[in-house]
């Protein structure tokens, strides 16, 4: 690739990011300054409502609106998003890029006015809940239309089509007899539907937009400030320094740097361009084809959206939708993400072996694979030791000084100044030219220490989110992001002048450069949020339609009929539909759409087939496949961005990227059937064991997909690798073939069997009865914990009342608010001629441990290693 080709490719990729994420219009003069000013004001507003300033100002001035604006923040948030989407994204391809036409100013006024109407007239609206007047309906219709136009501008047609389909269903779905029978929905009037969508918090201004307002913006702003200050480039350079000299080093560095930037990035496309601009030309330089170079970057960047702590901001939505603490979301997502990334590194290594590639030249001593592993693990050890020391210092000082927050701030300040002083001794971590005549991997020590202070804001973020102490509760995600962003602002403003001070150079010039970084970070944070802001509003339409009509039941019914009740067919259909629904959507909207539509399908239809899994596993399943849409042709926006840089074919890049991501597509099926992978009810020692076995299994699966292990694999060897991987992932499958998993009983015998179970062990109840809507007999499975020697108490604890009649266990309707009311109370007709009964109960048999099958699997692996070693023509590493 020539310098000109690289420049053109980077420009095309940057244009794609602007088109998809930040806005393709570059207005000049006063109009351009107005866009920038609006971005800055939006960022400052979000910091203001996240802080304690509103309450302080209200108390000092006696003017309550300083504090009231926080309660109205989501309306103002969407107003900013609509305004910037209108100004920054041209409506048509032929629309001017250098100025804002008059019709856009009209649309801006209508959209912002529709949002602020809910703020200005909030008291009058509160006095007439559900009784919307003509002004309310006119404003709602206007707001909905402008919002859809903004979604089209910022994100294209996919989300507009999906949201419009659901709006049409709300208005006309009641005309279908089948829909009426299935959902009891008879259609909606214009007033009722528009009021539901716009005038209350069930639709556009629902949970998704609320999370965007309080959490997502702050995390996106944090990432923008970190990248603008130089943290993103530091991630890339550290990855190149650590892995660049290894076989296929630039590709491995691409994987690592994309993981690091992806953890805090909200966009697969932006992640692809940020790291790919540097790594893709290097990969091509050492021998990767254009398509494979782009595919490695695409697979790395899309997987970044699956990696805690941010997960493309979906982690915070999961907190609301699954109703579990944030720390649990991170815990459940951690193991699959790490396994997936290590497997991708291995795939890159196998590709390098097949092509016979080498790494970059590097001055000084090279780092071996073992040392890299030690360094990688030492990063986690360092964080653990730092957390332990902070907890210890707080425990020692709390009895003396009381609140130790100021002590913690002082420690962080001293540590920051010290790390900047150390960094000042080394050259700045500059952005290198990937097309340099003789590209070299930088040395690790000066690169790592030259920007180590960038890790401090991330440490503060993770500390507040996940560690803190027992006596001091963890901060909410919003407050954690706020304080991390405040510290990141301090870093952006001061790291340049501080280094100039220690180097005795021009202090004033570096002060100006730091201020520019801060301002540009505010602007980029807001521009990166435009698409997310309007997308969460539009996704709220889908959620609102489901709450208004029960539309998810229709989708569940269709999938149930098509799958024929077969569990694997059901999961495959949901996976495919999640891929389709996720095409062309940003991560946040992607998760809202696929989780709202597909997660209830797995829960409902799966329970009828006997599949009962934790809700977080279901949400992770659909989220994984929704994210994989970013590299799946024909849409695959991340693949198009990578191809723009590599100058390769975007369809081939997407196909190759999905080929690399097959290992990621396998994981959701695995953790649906083996929730140990999500660390659900798994202790520390077992977690280490699960990680080790699952990692080996995934590496073997990756080797099978690449047709190369120690040497090029024969067809039967590939089959053996797949068999070993399957055995390690699902040893219970083979145990089920030789020993019944469950003991079953019905009628009075079921009560006796329940009483024999130890405390807290799982009891599966298979419930059968007439469907509330259709009257057809349907079955579902629920799980309750046992209470030793008291089956009745175990049932009553879950709000279930059972009346034995002859040999039948008749189930009474559960009361609202009890554990299984949503599963049973709203789905079954308890007052028909046919009773709802507990058909049978199932409890796990006492069997051999399923891990016994690991022994033959590892023996088979050892035999395969011995066979392939004879044909090996080069070292494995």
């Amino acid at each position: 690739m020539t310098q000109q080709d690289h420049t053109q490719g980077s420009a095309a990729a940057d244009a794609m990011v602007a088109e998809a994420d930040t806005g393709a219009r570059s207005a000049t003069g006063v109009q351009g300054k107005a866009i920038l000013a609006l971005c800055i004001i939006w960022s400052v507003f979000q910091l203001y409502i996240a802080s304690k300033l509103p309450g302080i100002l209200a108390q000092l001035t006696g003017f309550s609106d300083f504090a009231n604006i926080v309660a109205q923040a989501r309306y103002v948030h969407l107003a900013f998003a609509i305004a910037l989407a209108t100004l920054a994204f041209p409506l048509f391809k032929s629309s001017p890029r250098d100025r804002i036409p008059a019709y856009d100013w009209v649309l801006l006024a209508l959209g912002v006015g529709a949002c602020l109407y809910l703020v200005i007239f909030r008291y009058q609206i509160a006095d007439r809940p559900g009784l919307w007047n003509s002004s309310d309906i006119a404003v709602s219709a206007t707001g909905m239309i402008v919002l859809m136009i903004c979604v089209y501008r910022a994100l294209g047609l996919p989300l507009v089509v999906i949201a419009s389909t659901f709006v049409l269903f709300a208005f006309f779905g009641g005309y279908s007899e089948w829909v009426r029978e299935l959902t009891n929905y008879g259609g909606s009037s214009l007033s009722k539907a528009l009021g539901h969508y716009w005038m209350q918090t069930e639709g556009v201004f629902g949970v998704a937009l609320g999370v965007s307002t309080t959490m997502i913006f702050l995390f996106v702003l944090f990432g923008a400030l970190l990248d603008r200050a130089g943290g993103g480039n530091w991630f890339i350079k550290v990855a190149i320094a650590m892995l660049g000299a290894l076989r296929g080093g630039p590709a491995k560095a691409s994987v690592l740097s994309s993981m690091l930037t992806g953890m805090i990035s909200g966009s697969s496309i932006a992640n692809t361009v940020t790291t790919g601009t540097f790594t893709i030309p290097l990969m091509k330089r050492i021998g990767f084809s254009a398509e494979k170079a782009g595919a490695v970057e695409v697979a790395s960047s899309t997987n970044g959206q699956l990696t805690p702590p941010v997960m493309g901001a979906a982690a915070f939505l999961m907190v609301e939708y699954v109703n579990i603490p944030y720390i649990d979301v991170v815990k459940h997502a951690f193991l699959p993400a790490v396994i997936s990334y290590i497997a991708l590194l291995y795939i890159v290594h196998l590709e390098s072996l097949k092509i016979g590639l080498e790494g970059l030249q590097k001055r000084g001593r090279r780092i071996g694979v073992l040392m890299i592993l030690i360094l990688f693990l030492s990063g986690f050890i360092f964080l653990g030791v730092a957390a332990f020391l902070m907890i210890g210092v707080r425990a020692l000082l709390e009895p003396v000084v009381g609140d130790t927050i100021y002590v913690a701030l002082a420690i962080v300040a001293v540590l920051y100044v010290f790390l900047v002083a150390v960094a000042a001794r080394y050259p700045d971590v500059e952005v290198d030219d990937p097309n340099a005549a003789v590209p070299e991997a930088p040395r690790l020590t000066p690169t790592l220490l030259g920007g180590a202070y960038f890790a401090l804001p991330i440490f503060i973020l993770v500390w507040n989110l996940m560690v803190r102490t027992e006596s001091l509760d963890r901060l909410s995600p919003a407050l954690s992001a706020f304080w991390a962003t405040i510290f990141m602002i301090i870093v952006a403003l001061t790291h340049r002048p501080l280094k100039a001070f220690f180097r005795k150079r021009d202090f004033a010039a570096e002060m100006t450069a730091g201020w520019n970084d801060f301002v540009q970070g505010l602007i980029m944070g807001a521009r990166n949020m435009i698409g997310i802001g309007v997308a969460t509003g539009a996704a709220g339409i889908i959620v609102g339609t489901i709450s208004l009509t029960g539309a998810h039941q229709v989708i569940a019914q269709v999938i149930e009929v098509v799958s024929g009740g077969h569990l694997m067919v059901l999961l495959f259909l949901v996976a495919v539909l999640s891929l389709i629904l996720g095409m062309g959507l940003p991560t946040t909207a992607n998760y809202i759409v696929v989780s709202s539509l597909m997660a209830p399908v797995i829960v409902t239809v799966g329970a009828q087939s006997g599949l009962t899994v934790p809700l977080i596993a279901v949400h992770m399943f659909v989220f994984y496949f929704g994210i994989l849409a970013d590299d799946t042709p024909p849409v695959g926006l991340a693949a198009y961005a990578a191809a723009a840089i590599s100058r390769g074919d975007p369809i081939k890049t997407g196909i190759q990227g999905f080929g690399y991501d097959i290992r990621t597509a396998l994981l959701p099926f695995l953790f649906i059937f083996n929730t140990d992978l999500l660390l659900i009810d798994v202790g520390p020692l077992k977690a280490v064991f699960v990680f080790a076995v699952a990692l080996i299994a995934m590496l073997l699966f990756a080797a099978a997909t690449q047709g190369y292990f120690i040497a090029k694999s024969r067809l039967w060897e590939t089959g053996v690798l797949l068999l070993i991987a399957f055995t390690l992932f699902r040893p219970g499958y083979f145990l089920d073939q030789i020993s019944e998993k469950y003991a079953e009983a019905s009628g009075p015998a079921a009560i006796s069997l329940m009483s024999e179970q130890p405390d807290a062990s799982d009891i599966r109840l298979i419930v059968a009865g007439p469907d509330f809507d259709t009257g057809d007999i349907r079955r579902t499975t629920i799980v309750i914990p046992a209470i030793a020697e008291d089956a009745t108490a175990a049932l009553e604890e879950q709000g279930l009342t059972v009346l034995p009649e002859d040999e039948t266990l008749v189930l009474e309707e559960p009361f609202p608010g009890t554990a299984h009311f949503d599963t049973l109370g709203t789905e079954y007709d308890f007052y028909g001629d046919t009773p709802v009964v507990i058909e049978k109960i199932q409890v796990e048999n006492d069997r051999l441990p399923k891990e016994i099958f690991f022994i033959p699997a590892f023996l088979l692996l050892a035999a395969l290693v011995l066979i392939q070693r004879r044909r090996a023509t080069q070292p494995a590493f």
Side-chain angles (χ1 to χ4, degrees), residues 224-230 416 428 453-454 486-500 506-523:
L225 288 165
L226 178 63
D227 185 62
R228 181 66 194 184
Y416 169 61
D428 287 334
Y453 55 88
F454 286 123
I486 292 298
F487 187 74
M488 191 61 242
I489 290 172
I490 294 170
V491 171
L493 287 170
T494 62
H495 78 107
R496 289 177 182 271
L498 274 176
K499 282 195 284 189
D506 188 350
F507 184 83
E510 295 300 324
M511 280 283 291
T512 302
W515 176 259
N516 288 337
D517 285 345
F518 165 61
V519 173
Q520 290 301 315
L522 293 180
I523 292 170

Side-chain angles (χ1 to χ4, degrees), residues 825-838:
T826 60
E827 302 294 335
Y828 286 94
D829 182 3
F830 285 87
Y831 301 100
D833 295 333
T834 304
V836 180
V837 300
I838 297 179

